Amino acid sequence: MENQVLTPHVYWAQRHRELYLRVELSDVQGLALLPRLECSSVIIAHCSLELLGLSNPPTSASQVGLQNPAISITENVLHFKAQGHGAKGDNVYEFHLEFLELVKPEPIYKLTQRQVNITVQKKVSQWWERLTKQEKRPLFLAPDFDRWLDESDAEMELRAKEEERLNKLRLESEGSPETLANLRKGYLFMYNLVQFLGFSWIFVNLTVRFCILGKESFYDTFHTVADMMYFCQMLAVVETINAAIGVTSSPLLPSLIQLLGRNFILFIVIGTMEEMQNKAVVFFVFYLWSIVEIFRYPFYMLTCVDMDWKVVTWLRYTVWIPVYPLGCLAEAVSVIQSIPIFNETGRFSFTLPYPVKIKVRFSFFLQIYLIMIFLGLYINFRHLYKQRRRRYGQKKKKVT
């Protein structure tokens, strides 16, 4: 009676250029597939080579047969056969998979004590809707959620790798990659350190004054910390430039939105109107800005020296959730409070030339800016949420 063919559990994932297969089979020994007499001869030969002092005795399937399953691709079909410990105990397991599209016939595999990892290169870089040519998925095949990515996430990963490759080529053409990388890290570390010290000074100053003076400290916030806030926000231009020229991998748009938005509030709405500088809302705007930054910049500093403190990382990816919307709300309140002041003083208002001769009040632009504040909030909140999701993962999606 012919023995039943046993199939192991196989999990798969893909990228645009590669397929990943994980075969749940432990203690795989290709030697077990050989005849008993040949096995004995191979073992004796292998041991003899070790006794003769050969430091690298042959270990490929064609030379010895140890720790090598039979894996091949013929006519776009993957053939796998090996002895190991699977769901049905210690037995010979095998399976065959006909791929949906063409692949290169040279699979690469790696054995571990618990599984066999197989990598197959696609002939054409593209996204497959499924793994096999047959529409119905084999019962032994399932998605590998540990490596699974959606097409959009895989494209982001591919772009990141391509950017990394291009940056590497650029650095190699300009000089020693290691030297340039160290200079870049040193420059970024110093920038983040200066910003951290500046915003920390603002945060501590406002906190101490509030503890001592209470609500009275709200009304002279601007005159107390404005110089340092001017310095930090002007220096923040460097952060946007870094994103624009590729010194950092941060997206340009969120950085630019934050820079322009904060500087508009600081230099135009508050800085040009003395009546605004004595309002309590200034305290809340400056305080909420500094709270975000005293957790963000230490995280960047640690990243520059390849360190990861879990508490700092968690705070960097979590504090913004309540603080960022509150900061935008405080900015909106400052704009609303400034509208009647700008109307009364007529500052930045102008009259269109003849024949129109219509007076355009600056408050009109402030009202438009109110809408832009919440649009910017949506863009930056979405960006920060994606960062947090990539850092801490997301719930596994069911894939059919």
Side-chain angles (χ1 to χ4, degrees):
M1 181 177 178
E2 187 176 337
N3 291 334
Q4 180 184 3
V5 176
L6 300 178
T7 55
H9 293 299
V10 181
Y11 300 91
W12 79 284
Q14 68 169 317
R15 298 295 184 268
H16 285 81
R17 298 172 181 171
E18 295 175 327
L19 300 168
Y20 304 113
L21 299 172
R22 173 164 56 88
V23 184
E24 289 294 308
L25 209 58
S26 60
D27 301 324
V28 173
Q29 302 233 355
L31 182 61
L33 300 176
L34 301 173
R36 185 179 302 274
L37 181 59
E38 186 179 350
C39 289
S40 302
S41 302
V42 170
I43 292 174
I44 293 171
H46 186 74
C47 295
S48 300
L49 288 171
E50 289 186 341
L51 290 173
L52 288 172
L54 292 179
S55 58
N56 295 306
T59 56
S60 68
S62 60
Q63 292 171 308
V64 176
L66 285 171
Q67 295 294 326
N68 280 283
I71 302 175
S72 62
I73 295 178
T74 55
E75 298 182 356
N76 217 49
V77 178
L78 174 68
H79 304 281
F80 177 95
K81 186 173 184 180
Q83 174 151 350
H85 193 85
K88 299 293 184 180
D90 194 7
N91 281 294
V92 175
Y93 293 82
E94 62 179 293
F95 67 86
H96 309 278
L97 288 174
E98 184 175 5
F99 294 113
L100 176 65
E101 303 290 348
L102 293 177
V103 299
K104 296 181 180 180
E106 302 90 14
I108 301 172
Y109 63 89
K110 181 180 179 181
L111 297 176
T112 69
Q113 185 131 14
R114 301 180 58 184
Q115 61 198 29
V116 181
N117 296 315
I118 305 172
T119 302
V120 178
Q121 300 289 329
K122 297 178 180 179
K123 275 199 172 180
V124 178
S125 178
Q126 62 181 357
W127 195 257
W128 293 6
E129 62 180 13
R130 61 179 184 273
L131 178 65
T132 57
K133 191 170 185 179
Q134 64 182 55
E135 293 188 8
K136 185 176 180 181
R137 178 170 57 85
L139 295 177
F140 63 87
L141 185 65
D144 186 352
F145 287 110
D146 291 336
R147 304 193 69 169
W148 192 269
L149 288 179
D150 291 335
E151 183 175 3
S152 58
D153 293 332
E155 287 176 351
M156 290 177 61
E157 182 184 73
L158 189 63
R159 284 197 297 269
K161 288 182 178 179
E162 185 64 19
E163 288 178 4
E164 184 179 354
R165 186 184 69 83
L166 293 175
N167 287 336
K168 185 177 179 181
L169 290 174
R170 179 173 57 82
L171 290 174
E172 287 177 352
S173 64
E174 293 175 356
S176 171
E178 186 175 348
T179 302
L180 292 174
N182 290 335
L183 288 173
R184 172 181 166 275
K185 287 182 178 180
Y187 155 70
L188 291 175
F189 181 88
M190 291 305 300
Y191 166 78
N192 291 311
L193 176 61
V194 171
Q195 287 287 58
F196 169 67
L197 293 176
F199 280 105
S200 296
W201 185 89
I202 295 172
F203 176 79
V204 172
N205 189 297
L206 295 181
T207 302
V208 171
R209 286 176 52 81
F210 175 74
C211 292
I212 296 174
L213 303 176
K215 294 181 181 179
E216 294 298 323
S217 66
F218 292 170
Y219 304 103
D220 62 349
T221 295
F222 183 84
H223 302 289
T224 305
V225 300
D227 290 339
M228 183 60 72
M229 185 61 77
Y230 279 139
F231 171 77
C232 291
Q233 283 307 125
M234 287 189 291
L235 189 60
V237 175
V238 175
E239 200 164 332
T240 303
I241 295 174
N242 289 339
I245 64 177
V247 176
T248 62
S249 58
S250 302
L252 176 60
L253 182 59
S255 176
L256 186 62
I257 289 174
Q258 177 168 295
L259 174 70
L260 296 178
R262 285 188 177 182
N263 284 351
F264 180 80
I265 296 293
L266 177 62
F267 290 95
I268 304 298
V269 175
I270 299 175
T272 62
M273 303 300 293
E274 189 173 349
E275 295 88 339
M276 283 298 301
Q277 295 169 10
N278 298 320
K279 291 188 177 293
V281 70
V282 177
F283 173 87
F284 295 98
V285 170
F286 286 5
Y287 201 68
L288 290 168
W289 286 357
S290 62
I291 289 175
V292 171
E293 307 303 7
I294 62 174
F295 294 114
R296 186 165 70 97
Y297 286 116
F299 170 78
Y300 290 151
M301 289 164 57
L302 292 173
T303 302
C304 290
V305 293
D306 299 323
M307 293 180 65
D308 183 13
W309 289 2
K310 291 184 179 179
V311 174
V312 175
T313 301
W314 184 86
L315 287 171
R316 183 264 180 274
Y317 286 104
T318 306
V319 166
W320 63 266
I321 296 175
V323 174
Y324 195 80
L326 289 175
C328 289
L329 181 61
E331 292 175 23
V333 171
S334 69
V335 172
I336 292 171
Q337 291 183 351
S338 71
I339 288 176
I341 299 175
F342 278 103
N343 282 337
E344 183 180 346
T345 61
R347 179 166 291 186
F348 301 131
S349 298
F350 58 93
T351 302
L352 295 175
Y354 181 84
V356 181
K357 288 190 176 181
I358 296 177
K359 186 174 183 179
V360 180
R361 294 183 178 273
F362 185 64
S363 58
F364 171 74
F365 297 101
L366 292 176
Q367 292 169 14
I368 295 176
Y369 181 70
L370 277 175
I371 300 174
M372 295 175 62
I373 285 179
F374 294 100
L375 178 61
L377 171 63
Y378 168 75
I379 294 173
N380 278 4
F381 203 93
R382 185 168 177 265
H383 165 68
L384 292 169
Y385 172 73
K386 282 186 174 182
Q387 280 189 327
R388 192 178 197 281
R389 187 179 64 175
R390 282 197 296 268
R391 183 76 187 191
Y392 291 105
Q394 56 183 326
K395 293 182 179 180
K396 295 174 181 178
K397 299 178 181 179
K398 292 183 179 179
V399 182
T400 57

